[in-house]
Amino acid sequence: MAMVIALQNLLLLDVAVPLASVGSIRATGRHCGLEDEVQDKPVTPASSYLDDETNVRIPRGLTESQRLRLLELKVASATGWLKDPFVGFDPKYRDTCKNLSNLSEYGCAEGKDKCGGGYDHAICLDDWSPGQGNCLVYDFGIRENPEFGEVMARTFNCEVHAFDPSPITLKWFPTSEVAKLPNYHFHPYGVAGTDGIIQLHEYDWGQVSIVRDIYPPKQPKDFFNLPVKTLGTIMQELGHEGREIDMLKIDVEGSEFSVLEDALDSLGCLPAKQVTLEWHHYAFDPRYGGGSSPSVNTIVNIMHACGLKMFWRHSTTGWMSPEPRYKEAGLNDIR
Ligand SMILES: *[C@@H]1O[C@H](CO)[C@@H](O)[C@H](O)[C@H]1NC(C)=O
Ligand SMILES: *[C@@H]1O[C@H](CO)[C@@H](O)[C@H](O)[C@H]1NC(C)=O
């Protein structure tokens, strides 16, 4: 199941909260057992666990109050402890776009309207004035479908960076038409929540994915150890640090959660004017808010706090993975 949505950055709000004034409190009732127990234990030096980044990274570049607010947003969103736990799906979190396009009108190498599959992400062209030499596009996850980035490069003359470590992409790219474009740059690695090599699995349509098969497959599925980088590292290496990406497309077959969590932790808000994003609903349970899930809700709520508002979604149903078992399990994506 997957669903694509797009957001645009109307206003980059700082997520900082004012520091609360300091006062005194007095305990009036019994302390709970946990507190008593903790008091009896020797104080562990902070460095032994508060600085431990083996599994959870410490957000950099944020003030303490920003980190605290980020944590509040994460916890409250993941537990559904919000006035409206379905942030992003409610009209009050939405925005309208007058000039919406899925780019199909700009055609592809095969001609206009000849490459439907390539146009599953819509963008908003309001206030869009590329071609003035300063338009930056990141296209994460292309498989053999470069159409999105291709239009951005050919029609809008943007500097396009496309990323995909899938073996199918590496094989196809050198023979592709986009390889000839001087402003289209392909990078044979993926975006992720970490820098290094991660294990990705064979997935739909020859792509690789972080998603693991939960049932014993009929044929053993292959896995690949592939290079990945975080958004922050990529921007630094490509010399784009401090710049704002005009169009950020993320279609990375399940890695979107770790990619976005890392980017929001380390960069504060996404350095992007517009984001178009495909969700894979691994934590999806239709009972939880009719389409929201703790992980989607968390990321969406933080992006909303950063000033991004949703202006489009692919369909009200999303689409199914080609494997019949999803259909059999009744796992229709209802948002
Ligand atoms: C893209 O937009 C065109 C016209 O706006 C529409 O006919 C087409 O179905 C859309 N394609 C996709 C894949 O949504
Ligand atoms: C939409 O945006 C495109 C690209 O900037 C432009 O060529 C087109 O005229 C716009 N359409 C409308 C209806 O504003």
Side-chain angles (χ1 to χ4, degrees), residues 29-207:
R30 271 287 302 146
H31 291 299
C32 70
L34 179 67
E35 202 174 333
D36 290 340
E37 191 186 311
V38 170
Q39 279 170 352
D40 289 340
K41 287 195 173 155
V43 178
T44 318
S47 60
S48 71
Y49 65 98
L50 289 181
D51 296 341
D52 180 0
E53 293 194 77
T54 316
N55 194 30
V56 178
R57 274 189 22 191
I58 295 170
R60 306 280 171 205
L62 307 185
T63 64
E64 289 206 348
S65 59
Q66 285 172 325
R67 284 175 54 189
L68 185 61
R69 184 60 177 150
L70 185 64
L71 197 58
E72 285 176 338
L73 289 169
K74 284 188 186 182
V75 173
S77 311
T79 53
W81 190 24
L82 301 168
K83 269 190 243 163
D84 177 0
F86 317 121
V87 178
F89 300 121
D90 190 293
K92 69 173 175 284
Y93 302 109
R94 298 265 186 91
D95 190 26
T96 49
C97 172
K98 290 192 205 88
N99 196 355
L100 187 73
S101 172
N102 64 14
L103 305 181
S104 67
E105 71 235 57
Y106 297 103
C108 60
E110 291 76 29
K112 221 174 152 178
D113 297 322
K114 291 257 169 68
C115 34
Y119 296 114
D120 48 11
H121 286 260
I123 60 170
C124 185
L125 297 174
D126 295 354
D127 309 319
W128 172 245
S129 49
Q132 290 167 12
N134 201 26
C135 162
L136 183 60
V137 175
Y138 276 22
D139 188 351
F140 290 116
I142 59 169
R143 203 180 64 115
E144 299 169 303
N145 287 97
E147 291 84 1
F148 182 89
E150 189 171 0
V151 169
M152 289 286 136
R154 276 191 208 279
T155 309
F156 296 120
N157 200 25
C158 294
E159 175 183 342
V160 176
H161 294 269
F163 308 79
D164 204 316
S166 302
I168 194 171
T169 310
L170 270 52
K171 194 163 163 237
W172 153 84
F173 184 73
T175 67
S176 71
E177 283 300 307
V178 279
K180 299 175 191 155
L181 294 176
N183 52 338
Y184 189 99
H185 312 277
F186 173 66
H187 306 276
Y189 53 81
V191 68
T194 187
D195 292 310
I197 303 286
I198 62 170
Q199 194 181 93
L200 293 166
H201 301 246
E202 186 184 335
Y203 193 58
D204 302 337
W205 303 293
Q207 304 164 102

Side-chain angles (χ1 to χ4, degrees), residues 6-8 10 82-96 297 300-301 303-305 307-312:
L7 311 100
Q8 68 179 324
L10 291 179
L82 301 168
K83 269 190 243 163
D84 177 0
F86 317 121
V87 178
F89 300 121
D90 190 293
K92 69 173 175 284
Y93 302 109
R94 298 265 186 91
D95 190 26
T96 49
N297 209 39
V300 170
N301 195 27
M303 291 201 293
H304 187 258
L308 288 163
K309 285 193 173 181
M310 188 161 90
F311 61 87
W312 174 83

